[in-house]
Amino acid sequence: MRCTHLAWTVLLACVTAGCSPPAAAPWDGQYIALEERGDWTDTGPLSACRVLEEGAECGSIDSFDLSACKLRSLEGLERQGVYRSELRFDARGTQGVRMATRGGGFKLNTRGIPEQVQGTQAIAGVWDARMLLISSYSQDEGLFTFAGCNAVNPRSLTGCFSRCRQGVLVESGTFRAERVARFKGEHEVSGGMKLVAESPVELGMPVDLQVLGDWAYVVSQDSAVRGPGGLTVFDIHEPSAPVQVARMKLAGDSDWRGATARSGVLYVASAKSGVVLFDISRPEAPVFLRRALDKSVGVGMVSVDGDRLYAVGLDAKAGTMMFDISKPAEPQLLQHIVSGARLMDEPSSSQGPVSYQGRLYVNHRGEGLQVVDTYTEPGVRVLGRYTYPHANSRASAVGTFAGRIVAFESSLGVGARLRVLDVSEPHHIVKIGEYGLRAVVSPRAMELRGSRLYLTYHQEGLRVLDVDNPTQPREVAYFNSFRETDPGRGDMLEEGATGLQVPGDGHVYIVDTARGLIVLTEPPPP
């Protein structure tokens, strides 16, 4: 089964080789419960080098002990493109070993010269045939440096990293990095899908969209590279030729992260001012109405279920805010849901509420997926939860298969992947399937349409899975939206395919952070 680590390895090998897994047999509702190991397991240092705390200028080549490295192996490394990395931190002082990891990245141009490191413009380094030392500096992060040690293959290497402030070592550790070019044998598009249109978005970094009939509303967040975000409206009466009809942002408020709508009102998640309301009775010309909250609370995602609006706070104490929108233009705050409890409990913040058959599925980052009943009076009632080590639960989709309620859940970050959970009995949630690609690339958003699960996967583009047998998700189509040479393309985790909508008009609409609005045909039915 794809759920085991061996089967997952076989799946990745199949994807890499360009083959297609065999069709899954119809599911009878039976499964084998799978072991949960979390998104990341500490296997020790990722390379043979180490960072010296004394005796050399912090961040210089002499501050890295590369004596155990095979530097000659770096001669065969592909010195161009975007590399995503897993960072494993060393012990620092009395804190002990940090049993955690996070992602990093760097970008080399076609001449092998570093352009970006950790999302910031690269500064001078050393990058000859047997040496790779690249750095960036920012006032917030200080000096960050990667030093190559061993090339695993032409597209992968290991090494050490350090972060310095005013010449003092703050963080250090080892890394493994992988170039995020297409898998061997993959093309731009497969599975009968076709690219029908591509339209640039000029505001900030586009991250989400809402398709309403013949109109597409693309939301962008602020970007240090691309400038302020905002809202871009496209006329998609003819999906093969979208026409931009409006662009807008509010004074001092353009860092927008998501959108949803109900009855002629567009609700936009603002990282600065909560939920911003627009009248879209004239779809091509949104008109600002008001903000849903009197005080400024950053919001990252919004979703609608009937007369309920859910707004996901960026701050842990805000949690998920639930509004009554029986009058769509006049949201009334009902309560805060924080990890399925009241606000005063103050656990981690949540992401991605999804309503299905009277239950709300809330992605609560480090506390995983929680199933809650929001209609119980008073307050909310936790029905069940599913968590795992190093969780950063971000997105979910829910449906019924062979009489069982199945939730598809993914986290965001290094090692993140899709989990398939039987949530029929919320007090006893069981993992029954799994799907993942490179550990240095993360899933983003998903939509379930029948037995097809559409999944944006950042640098891996769009992936379409047949989940008729949810214990064995089977990739049936893809679109590689990520191109290293796209203008404005960066090296960060959230580059590539982000927003997603499959409205049922025969097309798939995705947002790519560099390419903007992309329209595809849906893959043909099985």
Side-chain angles (χ1 to χ4, degrees):
M1 297 176 71
R2 193 183 312 280
C3 52
T4 65
H5 280 269
L6 175 60
W8 193 24
T9 302
V10 171
L11 168 66
L12 183 55
C14 188
V15 171
T16 304
C19 61
S20 296
W27 191 44
D28 60 4
Q30 302 298 309
Y31 58 79
I32 299 174
L34 304 184
E35 179 184 4
E36 179 58 78
R37 299 185 180 183
D39 276 354
W40 178 75
T41 301
D42 185 18
T43 57
L46 300 174
S47 193
C49 54
R50 65 189 185 95
V51 179
L52 305 176
E53 296 197 35
E54 299 178 350
E57 180 183 356
C58 192
S60 68
I61 187 63
D62 294 329
S63 69
F64 294 91
D65 180 359
L66 305 177
S67 59
C69 300
K70 298 177 181 179
L71 296 177
R72 187 163 188 170
S73 67
L74 298 176
E75 293 179 355
L77 187 69
E78 294 182 0
R79 297 295 185 100
Q80 66 179 50
V82 175
Y83 281 78
R84 292 287 311 144
S85 64
E86 171 188 352
L87 308 180
R88 194 265 185 185
F89 291 84
D90 291 336
R92 300 292 308 149
T94 60
Q95 299 176 1
V97 176
R98 289 184 55 178
M99 301 296 289
T101 186
R102 71 170 184 254
F106 57 88
K107 181 182 180 182
L108 310 174
N109 66 19
T110 54
R111 295 177 294 164
I113 298 174
E115 289 187 347
Q116 291 187 21
V117 177
Q118 296 290 84
T120 303
Q121 184 176 354
I123 59 177
V126 181
W127 49 87
D128 58 29
R130 299 187 183 181
M131 188 64 62
L132 181 67
L133 184 99
I134 54 178
S135 303
S136 66
Y137 175 82
S138 70
Q139 189 170 2
D140 292 336
E141 295 294 321
L143 179 70
F144 191 99
T145 305
F146 284 108
C149 181
N150 298 317
V152 179
N153 56 52
R155 290 187 172 185
S156 179
L157 76 155
T158 69
C160 284
F161 69 89
S162 67
R163 187 167 70 88
C164 312
R165 283 187 180 278
Q166 298 179 340
V168 177
L169 184 64
V170 176
E171 291 179 325
S172 63
T174 52
F175 75 88
R176 68 172 191 87
E178 183 176 352
R179 186 181 176 192
V180 288
R182 294 175 186 170
F183 290 119
K184 183 179 180 180
E186 280 199 348
H187 304 288
E188 181 181 57
V189 64
S190 79
M193 287 195 301
K194 295 180 181 180
L195 173 64
V196 298
E198 180 177 341
S199 303
V201 173
E202 299 172 8
L203 294 177
M205 176 185 285
V207 292
D208 196 19
L209 80 162
Q210 182 75 193
V211 176
L212 302 171
D214 293 326
W215 309 91
Y217 299 86
V218 178
V219 172
S220 301
Q221 67 184 51
D222 290 349
S223 167
V225 176
R226 303 179 181 94
L231 177 68
T232 306
V233 185
F234 289 91
D235 180 340
I236 54 170
H237 283 81
E238 178 49 65
S240 62
V243 177
Q244 179 181 301
V245 294
R247 287 187 300 162
M248 62 186 307
K249 56 182 180 288
L250 303 178
D253 188 1
S254 59
D255 194 3
W256 295 346
R257 307 297 180 88
T260 189
R262 183 178 184 274
S263 301
V265 176
L266 185 73
Y267 306 94
V268 174
S270 169
K272 295 182 179 179
S273 65
V275 182
V276 183
L277 278 65
F278 292 93
D279 179 346
I280 53 172
S281 54
R282 290 184 57 210
E284 74 283 7
V287 175
F288 169 69
L289 288 174
R290 61 177 56 86
R291 292 177 173 86
L293 296 167
D294 294 332
K295 58 183 179 180
S296 296
V297 176
V299 167
M301 297 181 70
V302 284
S303 63
V304 163
D305 173 36
D307 287 342
R308 299 284 177 89
L309 167 69
Y310 299 97
V312 180
L314 294 173
D315 183 84
K317 294 182 179 181
T320 297
M321 291 156 279
M322 183 169 67
F323 296 84
D324 179 347
I325 54 170
S326 52
K327 296 181 179 179
E330 301 176 11
Q332 300 297 315
L333 180 63
L334 295 176
Q335 61 181 298
H336 295 260
I337 307 170
V338 183
S339 291
R342 286 292 189 175
L343 178 61
M344 66 283 293
D345 292 333
E346 296 188 5
S348 62
S349 60
S350 55
Q351 294 282 351
V354 173
S355 179
Y356 185 75
Q357 293 187 356
R359 295 171 179 172
L360 190 68
Y361 297 81
V362 188
N363 300 91
H364 279 281
R365 292 188 182 174
E367 297 191 11
L369 178 72
Q370 296 194 3
V371 185
V372 299
D373 176 3
T374 61
Y375 289 89
T376 301
E377 295 294 340
V380 299
R381 181 165 61 99
V382 178
L383 301 176
R385 64 187 73 207
Y386 186 87
T387 190
Y388 43 91
H390 306 289
N392 185 18
S393 188
R394 173 80 166 56
S396 56
V398 187
T400 299
F401 298 82
R404 294 188 177 275
I405 301 176
V406 174
F408 301 89
E409 182 269 357
S410 73
S411 50
L412 179 69
V414 172
R417 54 193 178 275
L418 177 75
R419 288 172 171 81
V420 185
L421 308 173
D422 180 355
V423 294
S424 302
E425 300 176 10
H427 63 280
H428 181 60
I429 299 176
V430 181
K431 185 170 77 169
I432 63 175
E434 193 170 70
Y435 168 89
L437 298 174
R438 287 176 279 210
V440 295
V441 179
S442 173
R444 176 65 177 241
M446 66 180 80
E447 281 205 25
L448 181 63
R449 292 290 179 265
S451 62
R452 293 282 174 88
L453 184 70
Y454 295 80
L455 183 67
T456 52
Y457 218 113
H458 287 108
Q459 289 91 347
E460 311 288 17
L462 172 72
R463 302 284 157 164
V464 184
L465 308 181
D466 181 342
V467 293
D468 187 51
N469 181 345
T471 67
Q472 301 180 45
R474 184 171 62 95
E475 185 176 299
V476 294
Y478 63 76
F479 176 70
N480 276 311
S481 67
F482 186 83
R483 298 180 302 207
E484 296 171 312
T485 56
D486 287 321
R489 185 69 77 189
D491 63 348
M492 300 300 287
L493 171 72
E494 296 188 354
E495 286 284 339
T498 53
L500 167 69
Q501 282 254 273
V502 190
D505 65 354
H507 296 88
V508 180
Y509 300 83
I510 66 173
V511 168
D512 180 275
T513 53
R515 296 174 66 174
L517 174 65
I518 295 174
V519 185
L520 306 159
T521 58
E522 285 189 57

